[in-house]
Structure formats: C-alpha cells, structure tokens
Amino acid sequence: MDEQRLSPSRQAYDRGLRVLLWLCAGLTCALLVFLIGYIFYRGLGNITWELLSTQTSYIKDTIGILPNILNTLYIILVAMAIVLPLGVGAAIYLTEYAANHRLVSLIEFATETLTGIPSIIFGLVGMLFFVQKMRLQAGILAGGLTLVVMILPTIVRTTQESLKTVPQSYREGALGLGAGKWHMVRTVVLPNAVDGIVTGCILAVGRIVGESAALLFTAGLGLVLNGFFTALNASSATLSVALYVYANERGETGVAFAIAAILMILTFLINLAANVVGRKLKQ
C-alpha cells in the first residue's frame, strides 16, 4: 500500500518506526566505530619494532610479543591440521552418505548446541581431559586440541550448508555417466562447494586468533620464546592470552592496547581474505 493511501496517523507511525530503526542502526555503527577508533588510538602508537621482534626480558626491562605471535601461528597450525579432515569428512558423510535421517538430525542439533556453549566451558573441559586425564602438559598441543573441539561444530555446519547448495542434478548427472559415489563427491560436489568450505575455515581461524578463555587453562601463560616442538608441551601464551596477562596482571595498559590493535588488524585481514577467497572461488 502506498504511503499516500495511509491515514495521517499511520503515516506518522510508519515514519516514527523508520526514524527509530535508523537511530538504532546509527547508534550501533557509532559504537563500533568508537570502539575500533579508541583501540587504534591507544594502541597504534605503542606498536614498535622492538615490541614485535623481541621477547619479554626482566634483565633488560623490555617487553616483546614475538613469542605470542609465534604461539598464535603454532596453535592455528595444530588446530586446523586436525579439525579440517575431521570437520569436512564428517560433513561429507552426513550430507552424502548417511541414510539414517534421525541420526543426522540429532547430530546437527548437537553441533548447533555446541556452537552456543561459552568458550570458558571448553577450557575447563580441555583442562580436565587433555591436561589431567591424558597427562598432557599445558601448551600448544593441549590448547590446539581444545580449540578443535570448540570449532569442529562450526566447520561441520558450514561445510554441510556449502554441500547442500550444490544442485542435486549435478550429482544425478555424474552418477548417470557412470561415476562412483566417492568419485562424484570428489570431482563434482566438493569443487562446487569449496568456496563456502574455505570461507568457513578462514572464519574459524579468526575465532582461534581471538580466543583467550579456553586457552588460559590449556595453553598456559608462558611468555618465553620456544620452537614449535618445544611449545607443544610448554606453557605458551597466544596474543589474546598475552593481552589478558599484560592488562590484568602486570598493568601494562599500553602494551595491552597495542596487542588489541594487532588482533583487530589480524581479524580484519582474516575476514578480508575470507571475502576475497570466496569471491575468487565462486568465479
């Protein structure tokens, strides 16, 4: 119905709702811009080459986050190397092979439920199971396994939705030409769904980068520079955990804001990469 056909009271009501919606949208955007701007304002000035390329030294009285940057890369590598085969394989089975629809619905409900559990719960479960029961030392391996449990539901659901977007006629055409089930999945379904799969994986990496609560109990608070194999079983703080340590325990507000700015930049780059890769693969 055109606005001219409405009564004056309805027109005033409609305009009032529009103004209210625009006001809510403007306040949300303004709050986001304020938070990002304040973090960059406080943090960018504290980012130095010494901060990025050295480790914290009590003797020299210097602070460096190079170990935390490397620990973040280590834990991304460990978590994604484990979760990708598990998540993508589970999604392929549930979408293409599973015949028990009740079981599939139950698993989908469980994965959706797990995505809503607070990360601190995953941290406590990871500490109890991986550190205490399995006797793993707090480090990259225990933290990576905890993150696998945390982001596995996201990878499974994202991959499932990507596989479901592939038209059924593609599958029927490949099978009609004599292709086997796995050959059809590998050569027809996965190439057409790979853009969504890659996008989901990159977004999962973004969650790993920003995770701190689950890693406090499993990866540890160590700020020492370690090699990859040493860090697997040694206390190793990621960037987000280091932010907590410097802000809450040491009172180094400037360093905390610098790490926050770095995390914001990393998150922006990861999301930008997700969009670019998704568009390229769709072409």
Side-chain angles (χ1 to χ4, degrees), residues 33-53:
V33 171
F34 171 75
L35 289 176
I36 295 176
Y38 185 73
I39 290 173
F40 282 155
Y41 172 75
R42 293 289 303 273
L44 291 179
N46 294 308
I47 298 177
T48 62
W49 176 248
E50 181 182 4
L51 179 70
L52 297 174
S53 61

Side-chain angles (χ1 to χ4, degrees), residues 27-127:
L27 288 175
T28 303
C29 294
L31 179 61
L32 177 63
V33 171
F34 171 75
L35 289 176
I36 295 176
Y38 185 73
I39 290 173
F40 282 155
Y41 172 75
R42 293 289 303 273
L44 291 179
N46 294 308
I47 298 177
T48 62
W49 176 248
E50 181 182 4
L51 179 70
L52 297 174
S53 61
T54 61
Q55 63 176 323
T56 299
S57 174
Y58 296 100
I59 298 177
K60 299 179 181 179
D61 194 21
T62 58
I63 296 177
I65 61 172
L66 178 61
N68 312 116
I69 297 175
L70 294 178
N71 291 335
T72 303
L73 297 177
Y74 294 159
I75 208 163
I76 290 174
L77 178 62
V78 171
M80 296 306 294
I82 299 173
V83 78
L84 275 182
L86 290 176
V88 176
I92 291 174
Y93 175 78
L94 293 174
T95 306
E96 305 294 335
Y97 290 94
N100 190 334
H101 297 291
R102 290 186 178 180
L103 178 61
V104 173
S105 299
L106 180 62
I107 295 175
E108 290 178 349
F109 175 77
T111 54
E112 291 175 356
T113 303
L114 286 173
T115 56
I117 295 178
S119 57
I120 189 68
I121 304 299
F122 287 102
L124 292 173
V125 173
M127 179 186 66

